[in-house]
Amino acid sequence: MAVALVAIGSLEASAQSDPPKRRFDLTSGIVFTCSPATGIDWTGKACGELTSEFRKRAELAGLKFTEVLITADFKTKRFPVANGFDQDKAIRVFWFMHAPSGPAGEVSAKLMSNVVFEPTPAEIPNVVPGQRIPINFYTQSVALDPGARHSDAQPYLKQITDAFFKSGEMVIQK
């Protein structure tokens, strides 16, 4: 009888321990946008592929996903709750393609992502009420040589996407 109680007790203890949390588990999902470079057609195609890949990978990671239009205040904007998804508590992922010298120049592709922190007076004394602070989640970029094509960019965009998801799957050490 004592052995049965010990076995039951150990099952209860293991059932109560919290599973390790991934960085992704601290968020409600992914709010995504991608901005192609003006005048460089392949960046529009790349944005379409990135959107599809992020949607698929978010689903595989058990994360909710929505695509939104870019706004000037994307980093700190309040997003709604829709279909049980609190978009305001999500990782804000922004892919930005940029060609400052036009189609004949260098093209950069940057993944920038953040979460919003709303500190309380207990966390930060004298905090401004309603203050929203963007905290970096993951950032990486690539600069492509002048004349780069979609096929030149694809391996780098994949590598950056893979690294973003690997970072989010990292278990948080207690």
Side-chain angles (χ1 to χ4, degrees):
M1 184 70 159
V3 172
L5 290 174
V6 170
I8 291 170
S10 68
L11 287 175
E12 289 175 355
S14 64
Q16 290 177 355
S17 64
D18 292 330
K21 288 195 182 286
R22 308 170 300 168
R23 292 182 69 217
F24 282 151
D25 295 333
L26 300 177
T27 71
S28 63
I30 295 175
V31 172
F32 183 91
T33 193
C34 187
S35 177
T38 304
I40 302 182
D41 293 339
W42 70 260
T43 61
K45 181 178 181 180
C47 276
E49 291 173 355
L50 288 166
T51 302
S52 294
E53 183 66 13
F54 265 76
R55 184 182 312 278
K56 179 180 86 176
R57 300 276 296 265
E59 185 178 321
L60 289 172
L63 300 170
K64 296 191 183 220
F65 177 93
T66 191
E67 182 181 11
V68 299
L69 295 174
I70 188 62
T71 60
D73 61 348
F74 181 73
K75 282 186 173 181
T76 58
K77 176 181 179 173
R78 289 194 187 276
F79 284 102
V81 174
N83 300 321
F85 176 22
D86 187 350
Q87 298 173 23
D88 201 47
K89 304 289 185 211
I91 305 162
R92 295 148 190 256
V93 175
F94 177 36
W95 268 102
F96 178 66
M97 312 286 177
H98 184 60
S101 300
E106 181 180 277
V107 177
S108 67
K110 299 176 185 178
L111 181 152
M112 298 170 278
S113 63
N114 70 283
V115 293
V116 173
F117 173 56
E118 291 187 63
T120 65
E123 294 165 323
I124 300 177
N126 301 320
V127 67
V128 175
Q131 185 174 13
R132 297 170 59 80
I133 303 169
I135 305 290
N136 183 46
F137 185 85
Y138 186 82
T139 301
Q140 191 171 356
S141 65
V142 61
L144 302 161
D145 291 333
R149 297 175 309 214
H150 183 242
S151 59
D152 299 320
Q154 281 179 310
Y156 298 106
L157 303 180
K158 181 185 181 325
Q159 182 179 10
I160 292 170
T161 297
D162 289 348
F164 169 84
F165 279 95
K166 185 176 181 180
S167 171
E169 291 290 343
M170 290 174 62
V171 174
I172 299 165
Q173 302 298 320
K174 292 185 182 187

